[in-house]
Amino acid sequence: MFRLNKTSTQELNKIAIPLIIQNISSFLIGFVDEMFIGRISTEAYGAIGVATSLTFFIAGVFSYAAVAFNIIGSRKIGEKNTDDFRKSLMASLIIDVFIGLIYAITIILIGKRLFRIVYGFSGEALTAALTYIYITSPYMLFQMIIFTFHSYFKIKKKTKYIMWGAIGATVLNTVLDYVLIFGKCGLEPMGVAGVATASMISVLINMLIYIWIGRKDIRFLWKDKSIYIKEMTTLIKTSLPLAGEELLEGSVFVVVINALIAQIGIIEIGAYLLIKKIIDMIMIPMFMYGSAVLTLVSENTGQKDQDRIMKTTETGVVISILLFLVGGLIVIFFRKQVPRLISEDDVLISFASTIMFPMVLMNFFNPIQTIYKYALQAYGDGNFVLYAAAFVHLIILGFILIMYWMNPTVVIIFVGLFLSYLFNYLIYRGRLRKQLSN
């Protein structure tokens, strides 16, 4: 039976609540950008959408170096080893600079061929995409450093800085978008260049503020270069299974599932993706509490406090599932109204409203398995999570394909995903209990 521990609840809330606000602010930045870009031209909207999706995907993959720093840095704090924590921070920043520079050079050298050959862009669409990626070529450098400082503030339990940084960046980005895109305050309209410039200025200022706040822990000493290399190796090794599991679950598995539903019909895949977007929104607290669990369990691991690890994990599970149930009940109750926030197609909305309840039910064990996954990764069992997830997904895909061949319906997909989350939860929970008992 899951237990809600008062101390763990307070610790998790202190980290997670500002992260939830930060996540909403980041969502608003993207929403405002899309709103303004849509008023430039259809070509610009499509081209920039592709460019940003590519950039965000690459940033998402490499962001696991910062997650690795979150795990390792938290352990060092738990061990009360401040000096090694600072060396780990420096190693993470060196990785960020290396990745950022490689990305910038690569995108400048091959960007034109990439968008022309792979995406088939030409004319206005190609011009818009190239204008955007050339101006935002330093984005990866800035964003990687921001990711590292997000982990830094989580470890320090000062996520309020992440929250205020995101809110400030949102406001600044919105104002700059309006001024630069449409040429206000005496400036010439910049269009696509204005979107890119606004994004870069807001991200740059956000990064510089974080560096200023954390400046006391940023110490590069040439005599410690061999230690930095060792720490970098540890961070990369730790991040690989984390990124691998995310790619497996977030890309490969999703692509196959989407392809199967698309084979059933365009209305079915449209409704599925629409409801998934809504459920992703109510899942935001789950991921933020998962991030808080990752930080605290890593610290508890450094302290060798097995009892606190389990209390933190179980508390995270209770909070996440309660928030999911509240969000799920709301969207089920308003299942005919909520889809209209995204689409006006009556046929699509009608089908979406009928699958709202099964899709919410399908995700019941998702928050639970996610929290246990983060706890295992924090405990240093990332490789097990990767192999277990691969095994479960392989079994579930086999089940779905067999049942789908017999009767291709979305119900088969929903049952398969429900079982996937359930099996992951049982495996992760059993593994964590076994590890702690040893």
Side-chain angles (χ1 to χ4, degrees), residues 311-326:
K311 286 180 179 177
T312 299
T313 303
E314 291 185 345
T315 301
V317 166
V318 173
I319 294 173
S320 295
I321 198 63
L322 286 176
L323 290 173
F324 173 74
L325 288 175
V326 170

Side-chain angles (χ1 to χ4, degrees), residues 249-288:
E249 187 170 327
S251 297
V252 178
F253 193 60
V254 168
V255 167
V256 175
I257 293 298
N258 288 352
L260 290 175
I261 299 176
Q263 290 292 324
I264 298 173
I266 191 66
I267 295 297
E268 284 80 359
I269 186 61
Y272 172 79
L273 293 175
L274 188 151
I275 301 303
K276 187 177 184 304
K277 185 171 290 187
I278 293 169
I279 290 178
D280 285 345
M281 285 295 296
I282 65 176
M283 288 286 194
I284 288 176
M286 173 190 79
F287 289 110
M288 298 306 102

Side-chain angles (χ1 to χ4, degrees), residues 54 58 107 109-121 126 130 133:
L54 176 65
I58 296 172
I107 207 69
L109 291 177
I110 70 168
K112 188 172 184 178
R113 279 174 288 177
L114 175 69
F115 286 105
R116 179 184 288 168
I117 298 172
V118 177
Y119 294 103
F121 285 177
L126 180 61
L130 294 178
I133 64 164

Side-chain angles (χ1 to χ4, degrees), residues 381-400:
D381 222 356
N383 283 325
F384 175 83
V385 171
L386 173 61
Y387 301 143
F391 175 76
V392 169
H393 288 329
L394 185 62
I395 296 298
I396 293 300
L397 279 178
F399 165 80
I400 290 175

